[in-house]
Amino acid sequence: MLSGESCFTPFKESIANHCLPQRFTYPFYYQPHPLALVAVKELQQYLTNQCQWHHNFGIPSHQPTTPSAIPEEVSGKMFGVLVVKNSHGELGYLSAFSGKLANQSCLAKFVPPVFDIQQEDNFFIEKQSVINNINQQISRLEQNPAIEQLSCQLIEQNSQFESELQAHREKMIRNRQARKHKRLIAEQAYNDGDLNAQEYKAHSIQMSRESVEDKHALADLKQHWQEKIAAIESTLKPLEAALADLKKQRKKLSNALQKYLFKQYQFLNQSGEAQNLITLFKDSLFQTPPAGAGDCAAPKLLQYAFRHHLTPITMAEFWWGAAPKSEIRQHKNFYPACQGKCQPILTHMLAGMALDENPLLTNPAAGKPLPIVYHDQDIVVVNKPAEFLSVPGKSITDSVYSRIKEKFPQATGSLIVHRLDMATSGLLILALNPRAHKKLQQQFINKTIEKRYVAIIEGELTTETGSIDLPLTVDINDRPRQLVCFTHGKKALTRFEKYHPQPTFTSDKKLTKVYLYPKTGRTHQLRMHCAHVDGLNMPILGDDLYGKKANRLHLHAEYLAFEHPVTKKTMAFQQDAEF
């Protein structure tokens, strides 16, 4: 465990011209303070030039000249800086990384983890050793050829039993039909006098005897196979029971060890109050702390500051290296603390501190008009401004829905047929009655409504046209961000087309104007498909979630065509973007 102020780094660059912020950074949505930017610049220089440890960030210019015999896993990393004031009134900063770096939890210059299992807890290591031993036993049992052989035999014997049982039952049906036919013939012969009473009785007894024989044969067949199957099960079940018992032990020990570990993660705030992960997450969505909770950069930075009586001034977190395949992370871009893992922890750690206002609680649509492009007694088409909610949010009720509800009080049923992201501008259609809503909704389901978006992306697109097919799902640890997931994601398909002629941009960065045609309607679909490395790999200009913040998100729903839900007339609308 590093101690004292060994992680306190004085600024190399002069900060004399920088004023201190009046409040601490609101960690879930912010623009880095100039002091934090200085600290970030110095940390990034250190990451570029240091040679004390090696981690493959996937940055081409930083790859080792001599390739390793074993390919290294490429892994970008989230880093954070916390500008602090020490007891002497000196300003400096702390540095941290999320998770592990270079396969280590502790590295010089960086603050230590809140709780380091390897260095601090023999109890955990001992219990983990027990679990590892059980894992080895489970592995040996699972690899036991007898289990697989007996399982296959059991499946084969059950299958053969079912086959012979079915064949015998079909035979019994045929025999029963034959006996019925013989009884009818005998009855007719008896009635015609060709059979006397004794002969007719003997015939009936014979038919009954054959029926009983069939039933006995069925019982013998069942007993035969049940004995064979029971013999296999008597050998297999003890092996399976031993395996199930070991897995039950492992689960019980793992749960107890995880609970113990959660209790060891004790987080401080400026008042010196400590709370563990179990307490902090008890009222969260999933109640159980997610994997990696407490090991992100922000909690580690604040924990070190509070533990060593350093005053937090401002903070910032940035991504360094290649992006993971599933999510959007741009090298050197700033990102807020995640909602799922960090919000319960940071809410406690920052309690009592003066924070910047949460911009997400401020209504950006206040005072903005909502232009109505078209309306009749069934539908309304609006040109939604950027930074304007489609439907009421948790904290802000002002929205397209509320404005239209107020303007058309006679409207009944659900107005909303589709939505646009808050940051996206453009055409939005609403229904004023249930009939119109149902008909329009059906058109969206059948994908007969034509939609075209226009966007400006960061980069030079050389492809004229193409399609992006990347399935999406919500990042449960950082809503509303989305992830690419080929296992659980929902299909998301976008066609793109380079805009011609390209406008002349005043920006010094390379930009491209494109048309986007979503064939599905997933959350953040266009933003993800543009920014993801397997999509266009060029975020939309001003995308504060998947790129870099600008004056606005340069994405606009420009064109909308559909069949009127009542008149059946084809309607088309186009509204040019303001950018």
Side-chain angles (χ1 to χ4, degrees):
M1 171 68 72
L2 300 172
S3 61
E5 293 188 7
S6 57
C7 296
F8 179 88
T9 305
F11 284 100
K12 295 178 181 178
E13 181 179 317
S14 173
I15 55 171
N17 294 328
H18 294 298
C19 297
L20 296 183
Q22 294 182 345
R23 296 179 177 87
F24 188 72
T25 312
Y26 178 74
F28 304 106
Y29 194 92
Y30 63 90
Q31 289 295 299
H33 187 273
L35 274 173
L37 292 176
V38 176
V40 166
K41 179 183 175 183
E42 293 189 5
L43 177 56
Q44 291 180 351
Q45 287 174 345
Y46 169 80
L47 293 173
T48 302
N49 300 323
Q50 71 80 31
C51 56
Q52 300 172 24
W53 45 265
H54 173 70
H55 181 98
N56 188 357
F57 290 105
I59 306 172
S61 60
H62 294 183
Q63 297 305 306
T65 54
T66 304
S68 172
I70 302 175
E72 293 181 89
E73 182 182 356
V74 174
S75 174
K77 185 65 61 176
M78 189 73 78
F79 288 87
V81 295
L82 176 64
V83 178
V84 294
K85 183 186 291 185
N86 65 15
S87 57
H88 304 295
E90 299 166 332
L91 286 177
Y93 62 91
L94 306 174
S95 305
F97 51 84
S98 293
K100 289 186 176 181
L101 182 61
N103 292 319
Q104 297 182 63
S105 298
C106 293
L107 286 173
K109 185 179 177 65
F110 297 99
V111 301
V114 175
F115 175 72
D116 189 352
I117 299 168
Q118 301 302 321
Q119 292 190 23
E120 296 189 27
D121 203 288
N122 290 327
F123 175 83
F124 183 89
I125 296 172
E126 289 172 4
K127 294 300 181 183
Q128 188 63 55
S129 177
V130 174
I131 293 173
N132 290 339
N133 183 46
I134 293 175
N135 284 334
Q136 292 172 5
Q137 294 180 59
I138 289 173
S139 180
R140 283 195 296 270
L141 273 176
E142 287 178 335
Q143 294 171 13
N144 184 351
I147 292 181
E148 184 177 359
Q149 184 180 359
L150 290 167
S151 297
C152 291
Q153 286 180 9
L154 189 62
I155 293 171
E156 183 182 341
Q157 296 290 300
N158 273 307
S159 176
Q160 193 171 347
F161 174 36
E162 288 297 326
S163 178
E164 291 191 17
L165 187 64
Q166 180 65 24
H168 187 80
R169 283 172 173 163
E170 289 173 357
K171 179 183 176 182
M172 288 177 69
I173 291 171
R174 291 194 300 272
N175 289 346
R176 186 163 54 249
Q177 291 173 342
R179 287 193 298 272
K180 182 178 180 181
H181 182 65
K182 288 178 181 179
R183 284 192 180 99
L184 290 173
I185 293 174
E187 186 177 352
Q188 185 63 44
Y190 176 71
N191 292 333
D192 292 343
D194 295 333
L195 283 179
N196 58 36
Q198 188 176 0
E199 290 173 328
Y200 180 68
K201 182 179 180 182
H203 182 274
S204 297
I205 292 172
Q206 178 61 29
M207 293 300 98
S208 298
R209 183 180 295 115
E210 289 180 5
S211 176
V212 171
E213 287 173 353
D214 278 352
K215 291 176 181 178
H216 285 166
L218 176 63
D220 291 342
L221 179 66
K222 287 181 178 180
Q223 184 177 356
H224 168 74
W225 280 109
Q226 286 168 355
E227 288 174 354
K228 291 186 72 173
I229 290 169
I232 297 172
E233 288 179 339
S234 65
T235 308
L236 178 61
K237 281 186 176 180
L239 296 174
E240 290 181 331
L243 186 59
D245 185 58
L246 284 170
K247 289 182 176 180
K248 187 177 180 180
Q249 287 182 49
R250 181 178 64 181
K251 183 178 181 180
K252 184 178 180 180
L253 286 172
S254 296
N255 289 342
L257 192 56
Q258 186 182 58
K259 190 173 182 179
Y260 169 81
L261 180 61
F262 288 156
K263 288 182 178 179
Q264 306 316 302
Y265 275 82
Q266 298 279 339
F267 297 89
L268 299 169
N269 58 23
Q270 68 172 0
S271 301
E273 299 168 342
Q275 288 194 21
N276 62 48
L277 284 175
I278 293 178
T279 304
L280 292 172
F281 279 87
K282 67 177 182 178
D283 296 324
S284 66
L285 181 62
F286 299 106
Q287 297 184 336
T288 300
D295 289 324
C296 294
K300 289 162 74 172
L301 289 166
L302 288 166
Q303 181 78 354
Y304 188 90
F306 292 140
R307 181 175 288 177
H308 296 94
H309 308 292
L310 301 169
T311 304
I313 303 298
T314 186
M315 68 176 292
E317 294 180 271
F318 64 91
W319 184 263
W320 186 264
K325 278 291 183 181
S326 60
E327 55 187 312
I328 306 296
R329 288 287 185 264
Q330 303 287 338
H331 180 51
K332 293 187 177 182
N333 269 18
F334 293 98
Y335 293 94
C338 63
Q339 300 284 333
K341 292 181 182 180
C342 291
Q343 188 173 43
I345 299 172
L346 295 183
T347 299
H348 159 69
M349 298 188 84
L350 298 174
M353 292 176 60
L355 300 179
D356 289 338
E357 290 185 5
N358 178 2
L360 299 178
L361 298 180
T362 303
N363 180 17
K368 285 185 179 180
L370 177 64
I372 294 179
V373 177
Y374 171 86
H375 77 89
D376 58 28
Q377 61 183 2
D378 299 299
I379 63 172
V380 178
V381 179
V382 302
N383 183 21
K384 186 185 85 69
E387 302 303 324
F388 203 117
L389 286 171
S390 294
V391 297
K394 291 181 179 179
S395 305
I396 302 171
T397 57
D398 188 17
S399 61
V400 172
Y401 173 87
S402 60
R403 297 275 187 99
I404 296 302
K405 194 74 174 175
E406 182 179 359
K407 190 171 183 64
F408 297 89
Q410 74 278 13
T412 57
S414 176
L415 300 176
I416 298 299
V417 183
H418 66 127
R419 305 181 187 187
L420 294 175
D421 288 348
M422 181 179 183
T424 305
S425 60
L427 292 166
L428 194 65
I429 180 173
L430 298 94
L432 294 179
N433 54 65
R435 179 188 179 191
H437 184 273
K438 181 179 179 180
K439 296 292 184 181
L440 287 171
Q441 192 176 54
Q442 195 61 49
Q443 292 182 57
F444 275 99
I445 293 172
N446 295 337
K447 297 180 173 57
T448 56
I449 289 184
E450 296 181 45
K451 294 177 287 182
R452 183 178 73 224
Y453 290 72
V454 63
I456 296 175
I457 56 177
E458 295 189 39
E460 187 173 2
L461 183 64
T462 56
T463 307
E464 289 296 316
T465 186
S467 294
I468 304 163
D469 188 358
L470 294 173
L472 302 177
T473 186
V474 67
D475 183 348
I476 59 172
N477 286 323
D478 201 11
R479 298 173 186 270
R481 293 177 64 89
Q482 301 292 304
L483 299 174
V484 169
C485 180
F486 289 91
T487 305
H488 304 292
K490 293 182 179 179
K491 184 175 180 61
L493 180 63
T494 302
R495 187 169 70 84
F496 66 88
E497 179 184 330
K498 194 172 181 179
Y499 183 94
H500 286 291
Q502 281 289 308
T504 302
F505 296 104
T506 57
S507 171
D508 56 352
K509 64 175 72 174
K510 291 182 179 179
L511 301 170
T512 306
K513 190 173 183 178
V514 294
Y515 282 135
L516 300 170
Y517 303 88
K519 302 304 177 184
T520 50
R522 308 301 175 207
T523 301
H524 297 175
Q525 176 176 318
L526 300 181
R527 298 164 73 172
M528 282 288 289
H529 280 182
C530 287
H532 196 270
V533 65
D534 293 329
L536 296 183
N537 198 23
M538 302 176 195
I540 297 174
L541 181 64
D543 191 340
D544 59 353
L545 278 180
Y546 308 109
K548 293 182 179 178
K549 186 175 176 62
N551 62 317
R552 63 156 290 174
L553 175 68
H554 288 64
L555 177 63
H556 177 77
E558 180 185 65
Y559 178 80
L560 190 64
F562 56 93
E563 181 186 271
H564 192 282
V566 177
T567 67
K568 306 299 181 183
K569 177 183 176 182
T570 299
M571 309 194 75
F573 300 93
Q574 179 166 336
Q575 289 286 313
D576 293 337
E578 293 180 357
F579 50 83

